[in-house]
Amino acid sequence: MEYEKLLNKLYDENIEVYEFPFKGKGKGYYFDNSIALNSKIDTEVERKCIIAEEYGHHKTSYGNITDQNDVNNRKQEHLARKVAASYLIDFFDIINAYENGYRTDYEIAEHIGVTDEFFLESIEYYRQIFGLKPKIIGNYHIYFEPRLMIIEK
């Protein structure tokens, strides 16, 4: 999903996005139908990934979960990242990258338009879901264990 499409989706759901420079290390926060995004983020790709995660919080989180020492807060963070992965990493995009000759995780991430870190975290989530079983899309089998592999049958 492109950055502008994601912003339009948020607008359609009455979620406001505010950009301003943060003083700390934070990159984004969600609170009460609003997303705060650190304006110091350099790339649109990283902005998109952060906004998608904060949108995941809109869909799944409740209360203040900034204390990541609390196991329930970590679970909510994990769930929000899974939601973000499902919005930005489409299995057809992975296949399209493969068909266009992209083979490494980093090449596929760039082709899809997400950060390397976001892509690797997303693949880990899919690995937890599928384990050794492939995700089958048409003639393609996408394996996540032991690493991302796309095989045309």
Side-chain angles (χ1 to χ4, degrees):
M1 180 179 285
E2 296 303 319
Y3 183 69
E4 290 298 323
K5 286 182 185 177
L6 182 57
L7 289 178
N8 287 335
K9 179 177 184 53
L10 297 174
Y11 177 81
D12 290 343
E13 293 190 29
N14 295 315
I15 301 169
E16 297 286 333
V17 177
Y18 301 95
E19 293 190 39
F20 54 90
F22 290 8
K23 290 183 180 180
K25 294 181 183 180
K27 295 183 178 183
Y29 296 99
Y30 172 79
F31 178 75
D32 196 28
N33 284 353
S34 298
I35 294 174
L37 183 67
N38 191 337
S39 61
K40 295 177 187 174
I41 298 168
D42 292 331
T43 68
E44 189 172 285
V45 169
E46 187 175 9
R47 288 174 189 274
K48 178 175 67 172
C49 294
I50 292 165
I51 287 176
E53 181 182 331
E54 298 311 321
Y55 179 67
H57 286 296
H58 167 74
K59 291 293 194 182
T60 64
S61 301
Y62 57 90
N64 181 346
I65 66 165
T66 55
D67 178 7
Q68 289 297 296
N69 292 319
D70 183 313
V71 69
N72 290 322
N73 293 350
R74 286 195 310 271
K75 286 179 182 180
Q76 288 188 66
E77 186 70 33
H78 185 75
L79 187 56
R81 289 181 183 190
K82 281 185 178 183
V83 169
S86 71
Y87 279 110
L88 296 185
I89 308 286
D90 185 280
F91 295 118
F92 292 104
D93 292 335
I94 294 172
I95 291 168
N96 181 269
Y98 177 80
E99 288 175 337
N100 284 288
Y102 301 104
R103 297 296 184 261
T104 69
D105 294 339
Y106 307 104
E107 291 172 335
I108 295 170
E110 184 175 355
H111 180 76
I112 292 173
V114 297
T115 64
D116 298 341
E117 178 183 4
F118 185 89
F119 184 74
L120 294 174
E121 285 180 6
S122 299
I123 294 303
E124 179 57 35
Y125 298 141
Y126 290 132
R127 182 176 291 123
Q128 292 170 10
I129 294 167
F130 294 103
L132 295 173
K133 295 179 183 179
K135 171 70 176 170
I136 300 170
I137 308 271
N139 293 333
Y140 292 93
H141 291 206
I142 303 173
Y143 292 89
F144 300 94
E145 193 70 49
R147 62 178 184 79
L148 178 64
M149 295 180 289
I150 299 104
I151 298 174
E152 187 174 9
K153 296 286 182 174

